[in-house]
């Protein structure tokens, strides 16, 4: 069996985010991107799919054009965020339990956004041979698996009424583990797109067989990697999308799915926007140089070109030694460990915002995240062993 790819995800510097956004927005509506999206739709990898009656294009091509145009619009309007490794680990630690509050657009730090995480917020193993099984390049017996990390997300407040095309009205449907359901007009939610790094096959041995060329010869991981270097494209690849409908509850997460990533992303929004109680995040803003702002404006980007670096507040930030220990064991392909940074995880507490109306049910609740900690006096050693109960005498016979 081919071993999973070992190439680490290396995050850009915060100052690179405006360029990444610009490249990604431009590539999203390119012909190669539309072809790739069409393949994902026909393979059933998209959960939000638009359809039209009497459309001049086939369903797959039309849907890919609509989806890619919408994604470019999200990126052009997005505010930019960079979550440091500590902030990523904190969001993962707090998201070990699903958010208790219902989905609310008021939790968003901005109506549209694009965030890059210094460490992955999750990942999953993809069987490359199985993914290509129904394509022209399929080859029997291919055994190549890669671990795809989720490292970035874009979002916007969304309603199906937002999308208008010249060919006529668009009907939207949503596919989940429970099946397919239409999205009613007028509904409201948060559209989220998740991204993986481009060029993931670079972690496989170059001679690993992936598929078959048109002439029948083998196609290897090294050939694909070389082809990607010569092909224009953004630094990230579209991977999944999800619709968080306003007012819905968060269900327990299925491992290695959008459930896990959405719990973590929503928790990051909570940590960034908490108004009362513990202040979790510190935000540093890095302005973009004037020449870069001009390029963004020429490209049609209306979102701010400044980058907001989101870090854990100094009151809760772990020691550098603890962060370094966790970073040393991180694979850069999956979510990092927080065993050293937060030995006792932060936890959620449901807070009533209107206690006077609580008894009658006329109130609203929101999550407040309570800091993790090490129990005991400061400086005392952390005890992690099991508790032992000692019986020092036999019980009485008539007991």
């Amino acid at each position: 069996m081919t071993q999973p790819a070992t190439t680490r995800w290396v995050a850009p510097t915060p100052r690179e985010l405006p360029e990444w956004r610009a490249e990604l927005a431009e590539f999203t509506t390119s012909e190669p991107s539309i072809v790739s999206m069409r393949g994902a739709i026909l393979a059933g990898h998209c959960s939000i799919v638009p359809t039209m009656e009497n459309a001049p294009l086939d369903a797959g091509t039309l849907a890919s054009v609509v989806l890619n145009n919408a994604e470019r619009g999200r990126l052009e309007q997005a505010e930019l965020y960079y979550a440091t490794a500590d902030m990523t680990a904190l969001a993962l630690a707090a998201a070990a339990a699903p958010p208790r509050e219902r989905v609310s657009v008021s939790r968003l730090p901005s109506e549209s956004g694009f965030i890059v995480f210094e460490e992955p917020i999750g990942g999953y193993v993809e069987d490359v041979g199985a993914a290509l099984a129904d394509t022209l390049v399929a080859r029997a017996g291919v055994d190549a698996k890669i671990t795809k990390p989720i490292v970035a997300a874009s979002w916007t407040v969304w309603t199906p009424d937002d999308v208008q095309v010249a060919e006529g009205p668009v009907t939207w449907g949503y596919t989940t583990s429970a099946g397919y359901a239409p999205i009613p007009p007028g509904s409201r939610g948060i559209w989220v797109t998740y991204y993986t790094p481009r060029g993931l096959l670079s972690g496989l041995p170059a001679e690993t067989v992936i598929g078959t060329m048109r002439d029948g010869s083998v196609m290897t991981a090294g050939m694909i990697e070389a082809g990607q270097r010569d092909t224009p494209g953004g630094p990230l690849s579209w991977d999944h999308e999800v619709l968080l409908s306003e007012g819905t509850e968060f269900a327990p997460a299925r491992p290695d799915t959008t459930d896990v990533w959405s719990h973590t992303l929503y928790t990051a929004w909570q940590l960034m926007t908490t108004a009362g109680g513990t202040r979790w995040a510190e935000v540093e803003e890095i302005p973009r140089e004037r020449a870069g702002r001009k390029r963004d404006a020429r490209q049609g980007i209306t979102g701010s070109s400044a980058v907001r670096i989101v870090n854990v507040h100094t009151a809760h930030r772990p020691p550098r030694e603890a962060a370094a220990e966790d970073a040393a064991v991180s694979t850069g392909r999956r979510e990092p460990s927080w065993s050293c940074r937060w030995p006792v995880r932060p936890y959620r507490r449901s807070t009533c915002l209107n206690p006077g109306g609580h008894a009658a049910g006329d109130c609203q609740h929101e999550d407040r995240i309570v800091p993790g900690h090490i129990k005991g006096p400061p400086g005392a050693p952390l005890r992690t062993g099991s508790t032992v109960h000692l019986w020092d005498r036999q019980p009485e016979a008539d007991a």
Side-chain angles (χ1 to χ4, degrees):
M1 176 180 295
T2 302
Q3 294 299 314
T6 56
T7 303
R8 286 184 57 89
W9 152 246
V10 179
T13 65
R15 292 188 182 275
E16 293 179 273
L17 255 62
E19 294 295 338
W20 276 41
R21 182 204 23 207
E23 292 177 27
L24 195 58
E26 183 175 1
F27 177 72
T28 296
T29 50
S30 68
E31 186 62 27
S33 180
I34 291 173
V35 170
S36 176
M37 179 63 76
R38 182 181 185 278
I41 292 170
L42 297 180
H45 295 165
C46 293
S47 56
I48 310 173
V49 181
T51 58
M52 287 183 60
E53 295 182 5
N54 305 319
L57 302 174
D58 68 273
T61 301
L62 175 68
S64 63
V65 170
V66 173
L67 288 172
N68 283 17
N69 285 339
E71 181 62 23
R72 176 163 185 159
R74 276 189 289 279
L75 291 168
E76 289 174 343
Q77 300 171 35
E79 303 294 312
L80 300 176
Y81 301 88
Y82 183 94
T84 64
D86 279 339
M87 194 67 194
T88 305
L90 174 58
L92 284 161
R100 295 181 180 179
E101 68 184 36
R102 295 175 181 269
V103 173
S104 172
V105 298
S106 65
R107 275 301 188 184
L108 296 175
S110 59
E111 185 167 314
S112 296
F114 176 65
I115 187 169
V116 171
F117 295 91
E118 193 171 2
E119 289 275 5
I121 59 171
Y124 64 98
V125 175
E126 180 175 73
D127 187 326
V128 180
L132 299 176
D134 297 325
T135 69
L136 297 176
V137 300
R139 184 180 181 88
V142 170
D143 187 9
K145 297 179 175 64
I146 57 173
T147 304
K148 300 183 71 173
I150 302 300
V151 299
S154 65
W155 71 83
T156 193
V157 178
W158 183 83
T159 172
D161 306 325
D162 287 343
V163 181
Q164 304 291 333
V165 296
E167 291 80 1
V170 179
T171 302
W172 292 87
Y174 190 48
T175 302
T176 66
S177 57
Y180 179 86
I183 301 175
S187 57
R188 190 172 184 237
I190 307 168
W191 184 309
V192 180
T193 301
Y194 294 104
Y195 299 90
T196 58
R198 194 164 179 257
L200 289 176
L201 293 178
S202 60
L204 293 174
E207 66 276 7
T208 304
V209 176
I210 300 298
T212 303
M213 302 287 286
R214 290 185 177 182
D215 62 1
S217 60
V218 297
M219 178 172 61
T220 65
M223 294 166 63
I224 293 180
E225 182 65 19
Q228 285 185 333
R229 287 196 297 267
D230 297 334
T231 303
L236 301 171
S237 297
W238 175 95
D239 194 82
H240 282 79
E241 87 287 314
V242 66
L243 180 63
L244 304 178
S245 298
E246 176 89 359
T248 58
E249 296 181 346
F250 287 92
R254 296 165 296 157
D256 296 347
T257 67
T258 55
D259 298 345
V260 178
W261 315 330
S262 296
H263 290 182
T264 304
L265 179 61
Y266 194 89
T267 301
W269 294 336
Q270 290 178 317
L271 294 169
M272 293 161 64
T273 60
T274 298
T278 303
R279 183 184 172 196
W280 282 105
E282 287 182 341
V283 179
E284 175 190 357
E285 187 169 299
I286 298 180
R288 184 149 160 79
E289 73 282 359
R290 187 167 178 265
R293 294 197 304 271
K294 285 187 173 182
R295 288 199 303 273
D296 291 343
R298 286 195 300 269
Q299 190 174 335
I301 292 175
T302 58
S304 172
S305 294
V307 179
R308 296 170 176 84
I309 302 176
V310 186
N311 205 346
V312 179
H313 192 279
T314 51
H316 309 291
R317 197 175 303 167
R320 290 185 178 181
E321 296 78 9
E325 286 184 47
D326 279 347
V329 298
S330 171
T331 65
R333 308 289 296 196
R334 297 300 300 252
E335 56 271 32
S337 165
W338 53 81
S339 58
C340 297
R341 278 177 268 200
W342 284 280
V344 180
R345 295 176 179 174
Y347 62 93
R348 301 178 187 279
R349 181 169 59 206
S350 181
T351 301
C352 181
L353 302 183
N354 181 24
H358 184 83
D362 183 24
C363 62
Q364 178 183 354
H365 285 241
E366 74 171 19
D367 282 2
R368 295 283 172 85
I369 297 176
V370 180
H373 57 284
I374 297 176
K375 295 182 178 179
L382 175 64
R383 298 180 60 184
T384 58
S386 302
T387 300
V388 177
H389 299 279
L390 176 65
W391 293 86
D392 61 355
R393 63 184 179 87
Q394 293 291 331
E396 299 296 335
D398 56 353

